[in-house]
Amino acid sequence: MRAGRVLLVLAGVVALGFGVWSLLAQAGVTGSKDVLTWLAAGVVGHDGVLAPVVFGTGWLLARSRVRRVPRLLGPLLVLTGVCLLLVVPAWQSPAGAGNPTVHPAASAGQLVGAGLAAVGVLGAAHLVAGRLGAGRPGAGRLGAGRPGAGRLSGRARRNGARRAASDPSP
Amino acid sequence: MGRWLGAAIATCFLTGLWSHLLQHPPGWFDLPASPAWGYQLSQGLHVASGFAAVPLLLAKLWVVYPRLFAWPPLRSLGHAAERASVAALVAAVIFELVTGVANAAQWYPWPFSFTAAHYAVAWVAAGALCLHLAARLPLTPRRAGGGPGGAGDPEPDPEPAGVAQGRRRFLATAFGTAGAVTLLSAGQTVRPLAPLAVLAPRRAGVGPQRLPVNKTAAQAGVRAALGDPAYRLRVIGPRSLALTLAELRELPQRTVALPIACVEGWSSTVVWTGVPLRELLALAGAPTGASARVGSLERSGPYRTSMVGPTQAAHPDTLIALAVGGAPLHPDHGYPARLIAPNRPGVLQTKWLTRIEVI
């Protein structure tokens, strides 16, 4: 364990150092400052805007008096939101001007259609996950169902012979 | 969740390094010519895993988001270092995915070079991930034997079934979204999925001669020069040549099906016809093992010239293509002549050739 940790630290420091050196060498100090600005903007954009919107929406859905709808609405909102994030660059890009082979980015209607189609995929995935869970001893005792609380490893809890530990991965 | 996200990021990192090596080969590196579909596969994986990583990253960030407000924020020097590595990791991975998705759409709203920044920050992300894993390594669950988590521990308290169901629903949403995003974008490489590719800016088989275009002749500023009767393809070597298009067509031709695969993730396999580059180099008196530098009619742009290393230059399937699908090249595909070589990034398949220099 200790040797692995030392190796990881060494590899991490070398990779980080090479990345910073490479950035400075190729982008210069001014370009590196611009990159740093975008690095920070990404974190602020997620932690300060996107995550609060998601958690706020989740809070509202969880307190909705309509019991059936939110089960589908949540995944649908997530999928549509992710698709929106992915097509915004295509909407903004000038690449399509004068190039007929650039396919128009998905319209809002197409996204809704794709979202509806994906409900089937999500439903199937949910069904499969449910069946896998139902066929496993100890099913029904896995983790927590809210963001931030589901950090327990399912395999580690089989028959109570193993205790779940915090997920070490990022 | 973390493992799947880690696998996606690792795939992105490794295929990205490979793409960077192919596009910016150091002097000691000779681009391999086989398998012909090598870059099509590696770059297709790069973009697909990047797209799939977006919902996985968001799900992971939302799972750990409450920890952002843990109090006290710093408990020790080690804890501070760990949180710093997490901050670098999150910032770098968000940066990589945002700039990568934007590049797939050829949208560059930033003032810096995409290639340089994307490459450098990829190393930052990899380094921060290693440091983060090192910090968390002692917390990895033990799967057997004694000690914490061993078989002798008492059974943990049961949790409500509704909580487990919610957790499964959350995971199903994350993985289902990742699968759906892959399905909705893979059509830019996988032709049967093209009708579903609403997230892809280009689709296999769509374009003049059933082939997409990254930069048109008009966008490259070469349109006016394409009909010039004085056009010659100059091959500079010990016995320099200047060949008209008609003379090129009279040389022995070779027809081969090769994919063209672009860094943005799209690719398409079509049938090319042209003169093998090695035949032209031989006519120009190039020695065995020679490299070549090909040049375009383009007056500016980082890819108006490219190097063809010894292996690809000697490969019989590396062509100075004059036709695609049995018809003369469309102006947007490089008329009158273009380079097409196996296992080569699309940006290096130089179009509108006017010069080949023996190196």
Side-chain angles (χ1 to χ4, degrees):
Chain A
M1 191 73 78
R2 176 177 290 275
R5 193 175 187 183
V6 169
L7 280 176
L8 279 171
V9 169
L10 284 176
V13 169
V14 169
L16 257 172
F18 179 75
V20 172
W21 173 82
S22 178
L23 186 61
L24 285 169
Q26 295 191 50
V29 174
T30 305
S32 300
K33 285 180 181 173
D34 292 331
V35 171
L36 275 178
T37 304
W38 274 76
L39 280 164
V43 176
V44 170
H46 175 266
D47 290 356
V49 180
L50 190 57
V53 167
V54 169
F55 276 74
T57 307
W59 185 85
L60 288 174
L61 284 178
R63 280 149 186 80
S64 168
R65 293 189 176 184
V66 183
R67 294 293 176 192
R68 292 274 176 195
V69 175
R71 288 191 175 183
L72 282 181
L73 195 57
L76 185 59
L77 285 175
V78 169
L79 177 70
T80 308
V82 170
C83 288
L84 274 173
L85 289 177
L86 292 174
V87 297
V88 162
W91 284 344
Q92 297 295 320
S93 173
N99 186 347
T101 72
V102 176
H103 196 272
S107 65
Q110 284 177 313
L111 280 183
V112 170
L116 290 174
V119 166
V121 177
L122 297 174
H126 188 196
L127 188 65
V128 169
R131 285 187 180 278
L132 289 176
R136 192 171 57 211
R141 293 184 285 105
L142 301 176
R146 57 185 167 77
R151 303 196 306 274
L152 299 182
S153 164
R155 288 182 181 176
R157 314 201 76 188
R158 190 187 300 271
N159 278 335
R162 300 164 186 164
R163 170 175 291 170
S166 296
D167 184 352
S169 50
Chain B
M1 176 71 72
R3 291 189 178 108
W4 282 98
L5 176 59
I9 290 175
T11 302
C12 262
F13 181 65
L14 294 175
T15 53
L17 287 189
W18 179 243
S19 177
H20 192 84
L21 184 65
L22 292 185
Q23 287 190 56
H24 306 89
W28 51 266
F29 182 70
D30 185 19
L31 270 70
S34 61
W37 41 264
Y39 189 72
Q40 183 180 30
L41 175 67
S42 68
Q43 196 60 17
L45 273 176
H46 182 74
V47 175
S49 58
F51 270 54
V54 171
L56 296 179
L57 173 70
L58 290 174
K60 184 66 184 173
L61 288 178
W62 296 341
V63 165
V64 299
Y65 187 64
R67 295 190 203 171
L68 186 63
F69 307 101
W71 196 264
L74 302 176
R75 294 194 299 268
S76 65
L77 196 59
H79 187 233
E82 184 195 341
R83 294 203 76 168
S85 74
V86 170
L89 176 61
V90 170
V93 173
I94 290 176
F95 179 93
E96 288 295 279
L97 294 183
V98 167
T99 54
V101 170
N103 179 62
Q106 292 183 301
W107 181 47
Y108 307 102
W110 46 75
F112 46 82
S113 158
F114 162 77
T115 307
H118 198 68
Y119 175 71
V121 176
W123 281 102
V124 172
L129 179 60
C130 288
L131 292 177
H132 176 63
L133 290 176
R136 301 304 300 248
L137 197 56
L139 300 180
T140 301
R142 299 179 185 181
R143 295 193 174 271
D153 288 339
E155 184 173 344
D157 295 335
E159 294 180 17
V163 172
Q165 190 181 22
R167 171 183 160 80
R168 284 200 298 271
R169 191 182 302 134
F170 179 76
L171 290 175
T173 300
F175 287 116
T177 303
V181 163
T182 304
L183 201 62
L184 297 175
S185 59
Q188 61 184 336
T189 295
V190 185
R191 191 169 291 201
L193 295 176
L196 296 177
V198 295
L199 300 180
R202 286 179 181 78
R203 297 179 186 178
V206 175
Q209 299 176 310
R210 299 178 59 79
L211 189 61
V213 175
N214 250 19
K215 184 189 273 188
T216 66
Q219 288 171 329
V222 300
R223 184 90 197 182
L226 296 185
D228 186 353
Y231 169 80
R232 299 288 186 278
L233 177 62
R234 302 187 187 282
V235 186
I236 313 299
R239 296 191 301 270
S240 295
L241 309 166
L243 300 165
T244 64
L245 183 55
E247 288 170 335
L248 281 168
R249 286 176 175 153
E250 286 171 3
L251 292 172
Q253 307 285 303
R254 181 173 172 84
T255 297
V256 61
L258 282 179
I260 184 161
C262 279
V263 69
E264 291 84 4
W266 67 264
S267 63
S268 204
T269 299
V270 285
V271 176
W272 306 87
T273 300
V275 186
L277 174 61
R278 68 180 186 181
E279 302 298 337
L280 286 175
L281 296 181
L283 285 175
T288 304
S291 299
R293 181 185 293 119
V294 296
S296 168
L297 287 166
E298 280 186 281
R299 294 188 181 276
S300 62
Y303 298 110
R304 66 185 183 280
T305 65
S306 70
M307 282 293 300
V308 186
T311 299
Q312 290 195 347
H315 197 281
D317 289 347
T318 298
L319 303 181
I320 301 304
L322 308 175
V324 61
L329 289 172
H330 186 279
D332 291 343
H333 291 319
Y335 174 88
R338 73 169 300 164
L339 175 72
I340 186 77
N343 192 30
R344 188 171 173 88
V347 288
L348 302 185
Q349 309 273 31
T350 308
K351 299 193 282 189
W352 312 295
L353 286 184
T354 186
R355 180 185 176 94
I356 301 171
E357 186 179 354
V358 176
I359 303 294

